[in-house]
Amino acid sequence: MNIVRLRKASSKDKAIVVGFYNSIEQEEPFSLKREKKIANAILDEACFIILANRKAIGFVIFDYRFFDQGWIELIILDEAYRGKGIGGKVFDLLGEQCKAGKLFTSTNRSNTRMQKALAKAGFSFAGQLTGLDEGDPELFYYRLIREENQSTEQS
């Protein structure tokens, strides 16, 4: 059984993160824009290395830029570790550290593998946005982390 944990990425991890991204990017070469985005996520302490038994097997970019809710912008796991429940463990770890009431993420409609992983991890469908990727809408999902305190006092 894999012991999964997250570790904040440091500037020394940039090459590792870029390597994981390059492993899935097959249609176009890794762009300098994406490299800068990863470097900024590391500087902002929003990039985490995913470790299984102390071995780096992927990364996740997580912050609160989405309406002050937890936002998983990007998660990439090494192909050899997919389908083993590790993504679900990562979602749980992010939920444990999330300071907001909800955890959000999105994926393309064509990414059925991610949609299944999200459903298995307890995420609910939130809505669809068209116009980002031509012919492949972005599907948004959320997972309730904790109930918001909505009690009201009566006078």
Side-chain angles (χ1 to χ4, degrees):
M1 178 172 199
N2 290 307
I3 297 171
V4 178
R5 69 180 189 92
L6 300 176
R7 175 180 56 78
K8 277 188 186 172
S10 72
S11 58
K12 295 176 186 176
D13 295 313
K14 183 179 169 188
I16 293 169
V17 174
V18 168
F20 283 121
Y21 187 84
N22 283 338
S23 73
I24 61 120
E25 190 63 34
Q26 297 173 7
E27 293 178 13
E28 57 188 63
F30 187 79
S31 70
L32 291 178
K33 184 178 176 184
R34 179 61 78 176
E35 187 171 350
K36 184 175 181 181
K37 183 178 203 65
I38 288 171
N40 287 339
I42 291 171
L43 285 174
D44 293 341
E45 298 185 342
C47 185
F48 298 84
I49 302 297
I50 301 167
L51 301 164
N53 301 328
R54 299 185 182 165
K55 178 182 178 188
I57 61 163
F59 74 96
V60 61
I61 296 178
F62 170 77
D63 59 30
Y64 297 92
R65 289 181 295 141
F66 190 76
F67 299 96
D68 297 324
Q69 298 296 320
W71 172 246
I72 302 168
E73 179 176 341
L74 181 63
I75 180 170
I76 295 178
L77 279 176
D78 183 283
E79 185 69 37
Y81 290 89
R82 295 180 192 170
K84 300 181 184 320
I86 292 173
K89 290 177 185 176
V90 171
F91 294 140
D92 290 343
L93 290 169
L94 291 171
E96 289 170 13
Q97 77 177 39
C98 186
K99 298 172 187 160
K102 295 176 187 155
L103 185 58
F104 282 84
T105 193
S106 70
T107 190
N108 288 94
R109 182 171 58 193
S110 62
N111 191 347
T112 57
R113 193 173 189 177
M114 180 63 159
Q115 292 168 45
K116 289 176 185 173
L118 291 169
K120 188 174 181 180
F123 281 77
S124 299
F125 180 70
Q128 173 178 297
L129 178 66
T130 57
L132 290 175
D133 294 325
E134 190 63 36
D136 195 7
E138 195 74 12
L139 306 179
F140 287 81
Y141 293 84
Y142 74 97
R143 183 164 121 177
L144 191 61
I145 300 300
R146 64 189 63 80
E147 293 288 334
E148 299 291 330
N149 186 358
Q150 298 178 346
S151 63
T152 58
E153 295 183 300
Q154 295 182 0
S155 37

